[in-house]
Amino acid sequence: MVKSIKDTITLNNGVEIPQHGFGVYLITDEKNGYEAINKALEVGYHAFDTAQFYENEALLGKILSESNVKRDELFITTKVANYNQGYDSTLSTVEQSLKDLHIDQIDLLLVHWPSKRRFFETWKAMEKLYNEKLVKAIGVSNYEIHHLEELAANSEIKPVIDQVECHPYLTQEKIKEYADKNHIAFQAWSPLGRGAVLNDPIIRIIAEHHNKSSAQIIIRWHLQKGNVVIPKSSTPSRIEENANVYDFSLTEEEVKIIDALNKDERTGDDPDALWFQM
Ligand code: NAD
């Protein structure tokens, strides 16, 4: 059972990832960045999820490098943007990401979205970066089962993780089952459904019963299901609230009740729709 925000999951290459991290999408303003990221550190977050596409690697890198948390206690994930996919451009832009993040090794590098045209080129470059120890682990994001199968059949290194949209209205049971079977960790992006799930009446009832907020119930649900989770907020009180999920547990029945809210409803893009365009 998850006990603290410092709990980790061991990836298939032995690297440990904190199960509960902080997403920084849309945190681009310097003043808000300092306030939000320093608050996240203060309440115990050590894992941060950024991307080339978010245009905040340099801000995150600056704030983390100025903090008093040691580099080896931090876990930094970034992602190769769709427009940077390809062999040479992956190598050169990840070099820039390292500089922007003020680090000499990325903890976890992901392909942001599967690209039909550059699928293997990007992965080959990521395998090279992994072999050269510029990244500790490589994984994917927004990969459906067929993308994972295609990658497994044609690559040397297996992804450690698949980061996909997942929340009570999109539980992704099939991908999760495939990932579990194949020793690929399962990570949930937009774990709160970008706020859309917070007003669900069933979640509200469970929240009232535990004297917790809807956001806390949903984060706890992810953690108890074994999902790696990266909620985002730029409001200090909510950042603290979202970290404060270790003094209660959901019953197995409550977890099942939340599972049953699934309606396969996305808040973001369908990876297959993008795949055919890219
Ligand atoms: P989220 O589900 O974490 O929701 C964030 C929003 O929910 C906030 O902006 C805020 O409006 C609201 N919120 C957060 N905490 C709250 C609280 N305690 N009470 C009330 N409202 C609250 O959505 P997200 O930001 O889209 O996803 C989280 C992270 O996932 C991102 O920051 C990013 O790192 C990652 N992500 C990855 C991808 C991908 O393609 N790989 C796509 C989207 C997001």
Side-chain angles (χ1 to χ4, degrees):
M1 187 58 81
V2 280
K3 290 204 176 91
S4 121
I5 200 165
K6 306 268 183 304
D7 284 3
T8 58
I9 280 187
T10 306
L11 300 171
N12 64 30
N13 68 343
V15 167
E16 306 250 327
I17 182 173
Q19 196 186 345
H20 185 174
F22 185 73
V24 300
Y25 182 42
L26 297 179
I27 299 183
T28 49
D29 170 76
E30 179 142 345
K31 184 170 170 289
N32 179 242
Y34 270 94
E35 192 179 44
I37 292 161
N38 282 327
K39 183 70 187 179
L41 289 168
E42 182 196 314
V43 299
Y45 281 103
H46 278 188
F48 293 85
D49 182 88
T50 181
Q52 292 172 344
F53 172 70
Y54 302 169
E55 297 188 348
N56 59 11
E57 289 173 306
L59 180 62
L60 177 67
K62 184 165 175 250
I63 298 169
L64 293 180
S65 67
E66 287 168 10
S67 81
N68 51 20
V69 181
K70 290 194 204 109
R71 170 64 187 105
D72 62 2
E73 289 174 11
L74 294 168
F75 190 99
I76 301 171
T77 300
T78 194
K79 316 181 191 83
V80 178
N82 300 342
Y83 44 80
N84 290 333
Q85 288 211 37
Y87 189 80
D88 291 337
S89 45
T90 295
L91 294 181
S92 61
T93 59
V94 171
E95 199 178 305
Q96 187 60 45
S97 293
L98 281 160
K99 283 188 194 142
D100 287 345
L101 286 163
H102 297 253
I103 54 181
D104 46 28
Q105 192 182 39
I106 290 165
D107 295 288
L108 175 62
L109 179 69
L110 306 179
V111 188
H112 207 145
W113 290 85
S115 152
K116 203 166 170 57
R117 283 184 300 136
R118 305 223 162 86
F119 193 80
F120 295 112
E121 289 173 51
T122 306
W123 191 252
K124 273 245 151 305
M126 289 174 52
E127 287 179 333
K128 179 174 160 66
L129 291 162
Y130 177 74
N131 287 330
E132 289 175 350
K133 301 201 173 3
L134 290 170
V135 303
K136 268 195 192 165
I138 53 176
V140 294
S141 177
N142 298 303
Y143 275 42
E144 299 286 307
I145 293 172
H146 71 96
H147 298 122
L148 293 169
E149 283 175 336
E150 188 155 348
L151 189 62
N154 297 286
S155 58
E156 311 222 321
I157 302 174
K158 183 182 180 145
V160 295
I161 205 163
D162 191 10
Q163 181 186 117
V164 297
E165 179 179 351
C166 176
H167 43 73
Y169 290 168
L170 181 71
T171 52
Q172 300 274 29
E173 290 306 329
K174 286 196 181 127
I175 297 182
K176 192 168 160 55
E177 199 183 304
Y178 178 91
D180 286 350
K181 224 185 258 171
N182 290 280
H183 310 290
I184 298 168
F186 179 91
Q187 186 171 37
W189 66 252
S190 290
L192 306 172
R194 293 196 169 137
V197 194
L198 297 174
N199 289 324
D200 184 276
I202 304 277
I203 291 184
R204 283 187 159 204
I205 291 170
I206 298 175
E208 263 172 46
H209 174 72
H210 287 279
N211 203 15
K212 288 279 167 186
S213 70
S214 295
Q216 289 170 320
I217 296 297
I218 298 168
I219 294 167
R220 186 74 204 180
W221 170 78
H222 282 288
L223 293 169
Q224 286 187 214
K225 285 172 70 70
N227 300 348
V228 181
V229 67
I230 44 169
K232 177 247 166 183
S233 172
S234 48
T235 310
S237 59
R238 287 177 172 174
I239 294 170
E240 182 158 8
E241 177 185 320
N242 293 352
N244 182 14
V245 293
Y246 295 94
D247 56 356
F248 77 107
S249 296
L250 298 172
T251 63
E252 267 178 45
E253 198 192 348
E254 286 169 331
V255 170
K256 284 196 185 123
I257 290 171
I258 300 175
D259 287 345
L261 297 175
N262 179 46
K263 20 185 175 168
D264 291 334
E265 190 173 281
R266 294 182 187 279
T267 65
D269 285 313
D270 176 346
D272 273 327
L274 278 188
W275 154 258
F276 287 107
Q277 289 166 30
M278 289 198 334

